[in-house]
Amino acid sequence: MTGSDRTARAGLEQSPRPRQRAGSQCVQDIMALHPEVLEHTVSAVDAAEVMRENDVGNILVYQAGKLLGILTDRDIVVRVLARGGDPKIVTVGECCSRVLTTIAPTATLAEAARLMRERAIRRLIVVDDGSTKVVGVVSLGDLARARDRESVLAYISAAIPNT
């Protein structure tokens, strides 16, 4: 079974592996290392508390040691609260996004921006070249800060948390 076959079975959409140009910044230079992770059985309210305590907007969701999805603060609002669900009962496995787009740590920032734009997403899961091992997460805010520190998005993304 090839690496792309394993990735497809895990529910991941893998991006092509672009070659990095000498001197250009790549995803591994700006990605968040050690993303927060939770088991799929954890409640949405407990996930929200983890997000608040760690000042993050996303958590990777695992089931039996395998990546199941990514949960964002927006997922909790739209998929739980706006539908009248009880965040103490609804689990992260029930409300997380399961269509995942990955990128290699050696991919260029331009490739990351292109993927986010084409798929209308705000985060990419960074997986080690040729495997499905998660090594980080890169967000739209990370890209904004790296590409133009004077942009409004970069300014907001760099702000001190208000929690």
Side-chain angles (χ1 to χ4, degrees):
M1 180 166 34
T2 68
S4 59
D5 291 336
R6 283 191 304 271
T7 300
R9 279 194 177 175
L12 303 174
E13 291 184 19
Q14 200 166 26
S15 68
R17 303 295 185 212
R19 291 187 182 159
Q20 184 183 354
R21 288 177 286 187
S24 65
Q25 217 175 6
C26 59
V27 168
Q28 67 190 358
D29 298 327
I30 67 165
M31 69 183 185
L33 299 170
H34 314 293
E36 297 298 322
V37 299
L38 291 174
E39 269 298 310
H40 72 288
T41 55
V42 173
S43 72
V45 74
D46 288 341
E49 289 174 6
V50 169
M51 288 179 184
R52 183 191 68 225
E53 291 167 4
N54 294 286
D55 187 35
V56 296
N58 67 86
I59 294 175
L60 299 180
V61 179
Y62 280 79
Q63 180 175 6
K66 293 185 180 181
L67 183 62
L68 176 68
I70 186 168
L71 179 74
T72 66
D73 44 8
R74 186 174 192 280
D75 290 332
I76 295 171
V77 171
V78 173
R79 295 181 180 161
V80 181
L81 300 176
R83 292 181 180 165
D86 184 344
K88 292 178 183 175
I89 296 172
V90 176
T91 66
V92 296
E94 295 172 298
C95 61
C96 68
S97 299
R98 293 185 183 209
V99 176
L100 305 172
T101 302
T102 64
I103 194 162
T106 55
T108 65
L109 300 188
E111 172 68 6
R114 184 190 63 76
L115 277 172
M116 287 182 182
R117 181 180 59 247
E118 286 177 358
R119 299 187 183 181
I121 56 177
R122 295 177 181 96
R123 293 167 183 88
L124 295 168
I125 298 172
V126 185
V127 296
D128 205 10
D129 291 319
S131 78
T132 58
K133 180 183 176 206
V134 175
V135 294
V137 174
V138 64
S139 71
L140 184 60
D142 296 332
L143 281 176
R145 285 190 305 276
R147 295 185 96 183
D148 182 2
R149 291 194 176 275
E150 301 302 315
S151 73
V152 173
L153 181 57
Y155 180 74
I156 292 167
S157 297
I160 297 171
N162 63 0
T163 54

